[in-house]
Amino acid sequence: MASKKGLYPPIFRIDVDAARTLFGGDVPIVDIPQRIVDSYNANKGVTTYEREGLTTVNGCQLIVYRNARTRAQLTPWIPFYEPSGIKITKVSSQSNHFIGFIVIDDDLYAHTGGHSVVVFERFIDVSFPIDIARRIADPEVKRARSSQISGTTLVSDVNFRDPRRITYTESLENVWTALSGQVRSIVLADSDLRAVFGAKKQMRLEIGSAIKFGPRVDSLEKLLKLIWWLIAIVDSPLPKDDEWAILDSIKVLNPRKSKDLIARLNSRLAEKLVVAHDYANIAVTHGDASLYANATSYTVSRGEDDIYANTRRPNLADILDKLVPGAEDPESLMTSIVIRSNCQDYGSEVGTHGTLIEHLYGEIRHGERTYFLLSGRWYEVDKSYIELVTKDFVSLMNNLDLQASTIGLKEWQATKSEGAYNEDSVTGPLTINGDRVLTDNVELFDTLTCVGGRTYIIHVKRDFDVKVRDVRSQIINSANIIENDLRLGNPTRLKRHYEALWRRERTKLAETEFLDLFNYPRTYVLAYGTTTKVERESVDLFGSIVARMEIVTLGGQFRQVANTGHTTELRIAWIKIIN
């Protein structure tokens, strides 16, 4: 069978300003692709990508690179079946990875083949694909990928049975990073688009860091026509029925239109982390969350010196606690520190890498607005969106309010840690300190107590900020384990938790007495310690939007847990911190 003609090219726009910030403001645009590739090769410590050629076509500068280190590999079927005596004929396969850079005026675009986006991923203009999609795509989507601002799942995929609109509730904690839908029928009639793909009744559209159409692009000439068409579309007016607006509730800052704002945010972030060593509401991760989380080793380096090397993922304290800016200013330090991960299960060449700022994830307040940081890119949170979140949040805090003293939680001395408070709060024969006792890597409770014929499963957290993310996850995981054990009528994990408590001398109850506590109606309690109670009048004193989103999300998630039985409820208790 003859090979089919053409490519299925994902089309990226490169953030030229970001590249020039790194390589120098006077770098000609035609030299930027080589600078990007040289930088990648230098980080890898070996020449991985080599240039295949450079030419000019229809006024566009074209530069093509190939991964020269790929080698044909024998299929793993051969050694797998070898012990059985079956000899499979030797078969080799080779993956090829290409990049085609296209310079048009003072803009730079790229298309790829294979896993070559890693070369320039730090310079991708992620606002370009969504700006295109809002103008040419149907409002309904079939599949989506999101990065979570809150929660423990950094990246998730959602598949819809039928194409439909994404709602405010689904956008509550998500930055939508990939969407799959259809091109509008009126757009399919555009003569310039038809010149590329021909007449089509429908056309699939994939939106992520790149834009990709369903049909194959037959020739280089048509690819250039497609890019010219996209350039014209991105500056056209939005359609009147722009129902993808909800996706902009948390929207990426355009690197061109928001250049000065991004610079101010980077400066403030550097001051917070590098100078003040204030790591609140900021974490270290990578855009390819699954690959990063499952890596077998991590290395953090500054120049030729390794700051950190371990099989455990580094946190900000591991990276910055011992560093001072020195000759470099704080912002330069954040871009000079490089984090690498390697996933040996997939091969010595597979992993992630990037600067520290490209690995940061969290929340910062600047002026009158809140901004989220994901993989080094800034996102602005819409004020009306914050108002919706806050409205739901305040309503939940009121409805779920529980007086701490009624379940034996005393005031919290400011000098005491969470561990010391949990130990001191235990009183009475039916109260158990379960702090730091785990079952299946889950802390089922900090404190367990029985009051008035109801069992309270209490999770305690000091402060009301991004750390609410941890206690939200803890409550949901705890509730799922306990309620599933009870629903199945075989409390295996509760028995194992009792054994762990008994070994650490946390309870004198017999196993049957411990299990009997869960036959009472159950209340899961999020108990937070602050000097001021979080309520309608004081909510603005607590600046973390992530914390508010966590509470709203917790309420929604817990309703699913509570469906397992009418005796289960969620409450929130304020513990006053006193000097």
Side-chain angles (χ1 to χ4, degrees):
M1 181 183 293
S3 60
K4 291 186 177 180
K5 183 181 177 183
L7 303 172
Y8 293 105
I11 298 170
F12 303 84
R13 183 162 73 182
I14 305 301
D15 181 356
V16 173
D17 288 337
R20 283 179 169 147
T21 297
L22 182 64
F23 302 127
D26 57 349
V27 177
I29 191 167
V30 294
D31 293 339
I32 289 177
Q34 190 64 53
R35 296 290 187 96
I36 291 174
V37 172
D38 287 346
S39 175
Y40 177 81
N41 286 338
N43 282 329
K44 296 291 286 185
V46 64
T47 300
T48 302
Y49 279 82
E50 296 179 351
R51 194 167 75 181
E52 292 288 303
L54 180 153
T55 190
T56 300
V57 176
N58 297 338
C60 305
Q61 192 95 33
L62 311 180
I63 311 104
V64 175
Y65 293 85
R66 179 179 67 89
N67 186 327
R69 291 181 58 79
T70 56
R71 299 288 185 271
Q73 295 182 337
L74 288 175
T75 174
W77 281 66
I78 295 172
F80 189 87
Y81 271 90
E82 206 167 39
S84 71
I86 297 175
K87 294 184 178 180
I88 299 175
T89 303
K90 288 187 176 181
V91 178
S92 300
S93 62
Q94 180 172 339
S95 298
N96 290 293
H97 311 282
F98 287 91
I99 309 169
F101 287 106
I102 301 169
V103 179
I104 299 178
D105 297 330
D106 201 37
D107 283 329
L108 181 59
Y109 299 86
H111 66 102
T112 60
H115 190 63
S116 55
V117 68
V118 292
V119 175
F120 58 85
E121 61 184 345
R122 62 193 295 192
F123 302 111
I124 295 171
D125 179 353
V126 294
S127 64
F128 177 69
I130 194 69
D131 284 345
I132 294 290
R134 288 182 65 179
R135 289 161 171 81
I136 71 172
D138 278 332
E140 297 85 2
V141 299
K142 177 66 175 174
R143 186 171 66 251
R145 168 171 287 192
S146 65
S147 292
Q148 287 187 290
I149 295 294
S150 57
T152 55
T153 304
L154 293 177
V155 178
S156 59
D157 292 302
V158 183
N159 290 283
F160 303 126
R161 188 184 299 265
D162 298 302
R164 65 176 180 81
R165 291 165 173 79
I166 291 175
T167 66
Y168 151 73
T169 303
E170 289 168 324
S171 295
L172 180 62
E173 58 179 350
N174 293 313
V175 172
W176 297 101
T177 56
L179 299 160
S180 174
Q182 295 286 327
V183 176
R184 290 172 180 260
S185 57
I186 192 172
V187 176
L188 291 174
D190 188 299
S191 59
D192 290 333
L193 187 62
R194 286 192 169 200
V196 177
F197 295 113
K200 300 287 183 183
K201 291 185 179 179
Q202 61 181 18
M203 189 183 299
R204 192 177 74 254
L205 185 69
E206 303 286 340
I207 299 296
S209 56
I211 184 167
K212 185 176 180 180
F213 294 88
R216 189 185 296 267
V217 179
D218 293 339
S219 66
L220 176 60
E221 179 187 7
K222 289 185 177 181
L223 175 62
L224 297 178
K225 284 183 178 180
L226 179 59
I227 293 175
W228 278 111
W229 181 76
L230 293 174
I231 292 171
I233 287 293
V234 77
D235 291 324
S236 65
L238 287 166
K240 292 180 180 179
D241 60 338
D242 174 29
E243 296 193 41
W244 277 28
I246 189 64
L247 306 181
D248 269 353
S249 296
I250 307 173
K251 64 181 179 182
V252 65
L253 290 181
N254 188 298
R256 300 184 179 197
K257 298 175 183 177
S258 305
K259 182 178 179 180
D260 292 341
L261 174 58
I262 291 172
R264 291 193 296 272
L265 291 171
N266 284 336
S267 177
R268 174 151 187 192
L269 179 69
E271 185 75 19
K272 169 183 168 70
L273 299 182
V274 179
V275 179
H277 293 284
D278 173 11
Y279 308 140
N281 291 342
I282 305 290
V284 180
T285 184
H286 186 271
D288 194 338
S290 177
L291 191 61
Y292 184 75
N294 291 295
T296 51
S297 64
Y298 303 86
T299 304
V300 183
S301 58
R302 182 186 179 193
E304 296 182 357
D305 299 325
D306 285 347
I307 300 170
Y308 178 91
N310 207 309
T311 56
R312 176 180 63 83
R313 282 178 283 172
N315 56 41
L316 281 167
D318 294 325
I319 299 169
L320 293 175
D321 269 5
K322 297 179 181 179
L323 292 180
V324 293
E328 295 176 286
D329 62 61
E331 287 183 65
S332 297
L333 186 64
M334 289 172 56
T335 56
S336 67
I337 293 174
V338 175
I339 301 174
R340 296 181 180 85
S341 71
N342 181 251
C343 217
Q344 284 289 347
D345 293 343
Y346 299 110
S348 59
E349 296 290 324
V350 179
T352 63
H353 88 282
T355 63
L356 172 60
I357 195 169
E358 292 162 1
H359 280 76
L360 296 180
Y361 162 95
E363 170 187 9
I364 199 169
R365 184 83 175 169
H366 180 67
E368 296 298 317
R369 285 189 174 275
T370 297
Y371 298 89
F372 292 146
L373 183 66
L374 289 176
S375 301
R377 291 192 175 91
W378 289 102
Y379 295 79
E380 181 179 82
V381 185
D382 185 73
K383 285 186 177 180
S384 61
Y385 176 79
I386 293 177
E387 290 170 2
L388 286 171
V389 171
T390 302
K391 180 181 177 182
D392 289 349
F393 163 73
V394 170
S395 176
L396 269 174
M397 293 296 282
N398 289 338
N399 293 337
L400 302 179
D401 187 48
L402 175 69
Q403 190 74 28
S405 60
T406 62
I407 55 174
L409 294 176
K410 298 179 276 187
E411 291 182 330
W412 192 326
Q413 296 289 335
T415 56
K416 289 188 175 180
S417 65
E418 280 185 22
Y421 177 80
N422 286 326
E423 188 174 352
D424 289 348
S425 67
V426 175
T427 57
L430 296 182
T431 303
I432 301 170
N433 174 18
D435 187 27
R436 296 187 298 277
V437 178
L438 307 179
T439 291
D440 294 344
N441 207 33
V442 175
E443 188 178 72
L444 295 191
F445 51 83
D446 286 315
T447 299
L448 183 77
T449 189
C450 188
V451 179
R454 177 172 283 273
T455 296
Y456 293 87
I457 301 157
I458 305 167
H459 298 264
V460 176
K461 185 61 64 177
R462 181 164 181 160
D463 299 326
F464 193 85
D465 54 18
V466 74
K467 286 182 286 188
V468 173
R469 174 192 299 138
D470 300 327
V471 74
R472 186 272 285 242
S473 172
Q474 186 175 310
I475 289 173
I476 292 300
N477 290 335
S478 165
N480 277 323
I481 287 175
I482 293 171
E483 299 303 318
N484 282 338
D485 255 23
L486 299 175
R487 178 174 55 84
L488 294 172
N490 182 23
T492 304
R493 287 183 286 185
L494 280 173
K495 289 181 179 179
R496 281 197 277 117
H497 199 69
Y498 168 79
E499 291 171 1
L501 292 166
W502 178 264
R503 285 195 304 271
R504 296 180 63 171
E505 299 182 347
R506 296 291 185 88
T507 182
K508 295 181 179 179
L509 296 176
E511 181 185 90
T512 54
E513 294 175 312
F514 174 76
L515 295 176
D516 281 345
L517 293 176
F518 296 92
N519 292 326
Y520 292 109
R522 295 169 298 285
T523 297
Y524 292 81
V525 182
L526 189 164
Y528 68 95
T530 55
T531 55
T532 305
K533 186 177 183 179
V534 182
E535 51 193 342
R536 188 182 303 274
E537 293 75 17
S538 65
V539 66
D540 290 336
L541 298 175
F542 302 87
S544 177
I545 303 303
V546 168
R548 301 178 201 179
M549 292 163 66
E550 288 289 349
I551 295 298
V552 178
T553 305
L554 173 62
Q557 289 183 326
F558 195 84
R559 280 193 291 272
Q560 299 176 20
V561 175
N563 284 337
T564 62
H566 66 278
T567 59
T568 308
E569 66 176 15
L570 172 71
R571 302 296 289 272
I572 298 175
W574 170 53
I575 306 169
K576 186 175 182 178
I577 293 181
I578 58 174
N579 292 320

